[in-house]
Amino acid sequence: MSSTEKITVIGAGHGGKAMAAHLSLMGFQVTLYNRTFDHIAALKARGGIELESSESSAHGFARLSGVTSDMQEALQDAHMVMVVVPSSAHADIAKRAAPYLQNGQIVVLHPGRTCGTIEFKKVLHDEGCTADVTLAEAETFIYASRSDGPAQARIFRIKEAVPLAALPASRTQMVLDTIHVAYPQFIDGVNVLHTGLNNMGAIFHPALTLLNAGWIEATHGDYQFYIDGVTPSVARALEVLDRERVTVASALGIRARTSLEWLKLAYDTAGVDLHEAIHNQPGYYGIKAPTTLNHRYIFEDVPMSLVPIASLGKRYGVSVRGMESMIQIASIIHRTDYWRRGRTVEKLGLEQWSVSELTRFVQEGKIE
């Protein structure tokens, strides 16, 4: 991929605007798509995004080649498509994109959460899309960013290493070779089961929010989310969820990182248990809690992260009672059925597959 080839960014939230602006400033031709035009009207009028960052290559006015709410226009001649929307919107984006995707295009979910590319691929199939498209997903979002206004974005940090995997995994190296022109930070994530089951947000976000529901509602989030919210008892609950996640991965033949291993890898932070390790992480100090329970830590991370992990566990014989409890509490608080809304093995079309068939699918894209 060269700077003469077009990149389309799907989603104009804080992450999508940050990525679109940074790619533009790196010299790429970038089109930004958003489902709701009103949200991008100011960007269309200005013709670009004002990006602030301490990163040397990530600040200034980023002119965009196109700003649109027309999916056909957005995908026309795009070499790579970066999907930067909440994972709860992946299925809708796949449905909208299915008629217009073209042979040879690469679609990357930033991030996939758990089973994101599997869901995306199924929707494309169900919608009759026959284009030879390569799907891939990142394990986490490469930027720490926020939106400073309708045509402004800010990047706080760019992660140094982010695992990425294609579906099928046999195409991962091709995707890495293509994306490395812009993002050398992406590394081989093995396959999409690895990226999906190393989803740390599934462990930290929903339970930490739900177990502090009273405090969030009473203070509107005016406390330190990780420091005040992770008491010894809450940490023990997180450890149970983490063990269940690692055990589900093991049942699928995957050695997933534990939360303690991830904290060491990501932040060089250690402790005798999760409570101590979290409190030893200086970066967690000062981070406030969500101001409301109507937050993506529940409405996104429960159905798109906890539910698929728990569903895989139930399908392959792993006890996931801790996860089931969190899903039930979230469903009660939000008066919805997150099992019904979430990525279950039944909805993904995996309920009849053996472990070897599922493994062959993520590696080769087929089970015959």
Side-chain angles (χ1 to χ4, degrees):
M1 183 175 68
S2 70
S3 59
T4 61
E5 291 175 305
K6 177 180 168 184
I7 300 176
T8 292
V9 176
I10 303 290
H14 70 88
K17 287 197 295 185
M19 178 172 281
H22 191 200
L23 285 167
S24 173
L25 290 170
M26 284 190 279
F28 294 95
Q29 297 182 43
V30 180
T31 293
L32 181 62
Y33 166 90
N34 197 71
R35 289 175 292 180
T36 305
F37 181 77
D38 287 349
H39 191 67
I40 52 175
L43 288 168
K44 180 81 169 179
R46 289 201 64 190
I49 301 166
E50 191 67 44
L51 183 64
E52 296 291 336
S53 176
S54 58
E55 300 283 344
S56 60
S57 64
H59 62 87
F61 183 73
R63 188 163 298 280
L64 299 176
S65 298
V67 178
T68 184
S69 58
D70 183 324
M71 183 64 83
Q72 183 175 12
E73 178 185 348
L75 296 182
Q76 185 67 38
D77 299 323
H79 184 63
M80 181 166 278
V81 181
M82 308 296 213
V83 180
V84 192
V85 298
S87 52
S88 50
H90 285 163
D92 182 61
I93 294 298
K95 187 173 183 178
R96 290 170 185 251
Y100 310 117
L101 287 167
Q102 303 156 27
N103 288 339
Q105 288 180 318
I106 298 171
V107 179
V108 185
L109 307 183
H110 294 275
R113 298 302 177 196
T114 302
C115 296
T117 50
I118 294 174
E119 178 187 53
F120 208 97
K121 185 178 180 72
K122 185 176 189 301
V123 173
L124 293 183
H125 176 270
D126 292 346
E127 292 296 313
C129 178
T130 58
D132 183 11
V133 175
T134 298
L135 302 178
E137 65 178 42
E139 188 175 292
T140 187
F141 190 46
I142 193 168
Y143 299 107
S145 59
R146 79 175 185 203
S147 178
D148 284 345
Q152 294 80 34
R154 183 181 300 271
I155 293 174
F156 296 101
R157 183 169 61 91
I158 302 175
K159 295 182 175 67
E160 294 182 5
V162 177
L164 177 146
L167 179 64
S170 56
R171 297 190 181 188
T172 295
Q173 191 57 53
M174 180 271 289
V175 176
L176 289 174
D177 291 342
T178 303
I179 204 170
H180 272 179
V181 179
Y183 295 111
Q185 297 92 341
F186 285 108
I187 61 175
D188 190 342
V190 185
N191 62 45
V192 297
L193 291 177
H194 280 255
T195 54
L197 289 168
N198 277 307
N199 177 1
M200 295 301 162
I203 304 307
F204 287 134
H205 294 162
L208 192 46
T209 304
L210 293 167
L211 295 176
N212 285 282
W215 205 351
I216 289 172
E217 290 185 322
T219 69
H220 303 289
D222 190 20
Y223 69 92
Q224 297 186 90
F225 188 53
Y226 292 98
I227 303 307
D228 300 323
V230 180
T231 63
S233 295
V234 170
R236 285 195 290 274
L238 297 180
E239 287 170 344
V240 167
L241 298 175
D242 197 49
R243 281 197 297 272
E244 290 179 353
R245 176 186 62 82
V246 171
T247 305
V248 172
S250 180
L252 296 176
I254 295 167
R255 167 64 169 89
R257 289 186 294 273
T258 67
S259 289
L260 280 174
E261 289 170 338
W262 178 79
L263 285 167
K264 180 66 176 177
L265 177 69
Y267 301 112
D268 195 26
T269 298
V272 296
D273 55 19
L274 200 51
H275 177 263
E276 184 176 299
I278 287 172
H279 284 255
N280 284 343
Q281 210 301 81
Y284 284 152
Y285 285 81
I287 297 178
K288 292 297 186 72
T291 58
T292 173
L293 294 177
N294 184 26
H295 194 274
R296 64 182 178 85
Y297 285 178
I298 299 178
F299 65 68
E300 179 184 3
D301 285 319
V302 171
M304 303 300 148
S305 295
L306 270 187
V307 166
I309 296 173
S311 185
L312 286 167
K314 288 163 67 71
R315 167 65 183 90
Y316 297 110
V318 177
S319 174
V320 287
R321 288 182 293 179
M323 289 188 182
E324 290 180 286
S325 298
M326 291 299 135
I327 295 164
Q328 183 65 17
I329 292 170
S331 297
I332 291 169
I333 286 177
H334 279 183
R335 296 176 177 174
T336 191
D337 184 348
Y338 278 123
W339 273 110
R340 182 179 61 82
R341 290 181 57 184
R343 291 171 175 164
T344 62
V345 293
E346 291 80 13
K347 287 179 70 173
L348 296 171
L350 310 178
E351 70 274 21
Q352 299 300 321
W353 291 8
S354 67
V355 171
S356 61
E357 288 173 327
L358 179 57
T359 301
R360 196 175 311 129
F361 173 69
V362 299
Q363 289 296 131
E364 303 171 11
K366 58 186 182 229
I367 61 171
E368 309 73 67

